[in-house]
């Protein structure tokens, strides 16, 4: 059972912030052996929300929800991460489903754009996203842009 919290940066507790940053660094920097600027100054922007998924008081999943015009012309979801030891039971799908639901609540009738790692294209397609760009390298990792049209 996952407990979801949707929190703007200014309301994150010190512990929540530490857990969030640790999970993202563990996944995107350590696990993917990709040194890059994880702290990109978007976390603190007005209108940005952090979706945190807890299981037994442990942060196991997170994503960042951004209003349109922040990363893309449309609303976007980024920094989608799950704890490595918690994978294999559909946690990633639950996270993305919840992220889409929260975006629809925050910004009704808006499309959602993402910059997806290319090897995860099929995963995102299962949630209604379609590829909108050719492959490009971001921090040395192949990515594609994807869009989920308004339902």
């Amino acid at each position: 059972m996952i407990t979801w919290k949707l929190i703007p940066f200014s309301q994150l507790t010190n512990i929540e912030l530490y857990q969030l940053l640790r999970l993202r660094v563990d996944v995107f920097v350590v696990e993917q052996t990709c040194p890059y600027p994880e702290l990109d100054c978007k976390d603190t922007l007005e209108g940005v929300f952090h979706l945190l998924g807890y299981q037994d008081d442990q942060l196991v999943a997170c994503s960042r929800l951004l209003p349109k015009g922040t990363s893309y012309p449309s609303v976007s979801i980024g920094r989608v991460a799950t704890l490595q030891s918690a994978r294999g039971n559909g946690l990633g799908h639950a996270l993305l489903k919840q992220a889409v639901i929260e975006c629809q609540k925050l910004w009704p009738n808006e499309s959602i754009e993402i910059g997806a790692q290319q090897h995860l294209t099929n995963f995102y397609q299962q949630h209604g996203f379609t590829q909108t760009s050719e492959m490009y390298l971001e921090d040395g990792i192949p990515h594609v842009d994807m869009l989920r049209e308004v339902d």
Side-chain angles (χ1 to χ4, degrees), residues 34-150:
C34 182
Y36 80 108
E38 166 56 27
L39 302 178
D40 62 1
C41 298
K42 292 181 184 177
D43 291 310
T44 62
L45 295 176
E46 185 71 30
V48 173
F49 287 83
H50 300 276
L51 179 62
L52 309 177
Y54 286 90
Q55 192 169 45
D56 300 323
D57 295 324
Q58 180 179 19
L59 182 64
V60 295
C62 66
S63 65
R64 182 169 70 179
L65 313 182
L66 304 105
K68 63 183 180 179
T70 305
S71 289
Y72 291 93
S74 301
V75 166
S76 62
I77 299 171
R79 300 298 200 264
V80 177
T82 58
L83 185 67
Q84 189 173 31
S85 63
R87 294 180 195 153
N89 295 313
L91 178 59
H93 289 287
L95 170 60
L96 191 57
K97 181 180 178 182
Q98 191 67 35
V100 168
I101 288 169
E102 297 298 346
C103 282
Q104 291 171 334
K105 287 180 191 175
L106 290 166
W107 306 290
N109 303 312
E110 294 287 343
S111 297
I112 303 169
E113 282 183 89
I114 59 172
Q117 291 185 10
Q118 188 177 34
H119 74 278
L120 294 172
T121 302
N122 183 55
F123 168 79
Y124 289 107
Q125 287 173 337
Q126 294 176 53
H127 294 273
F129 289 87
T130 57
Q131 185 173 331
T132 59
S133 76
E134 296 297 318
M135 186 279 291
Y136 59 90
L137 290 178
E138 185 174 306
D139 301 313
I141 298 173
H143 280 71
V144 294
D145 289 334
M146 300 187 81
L147 178 70
R148 186 180 194 279
E149 297 283 354
V150 177

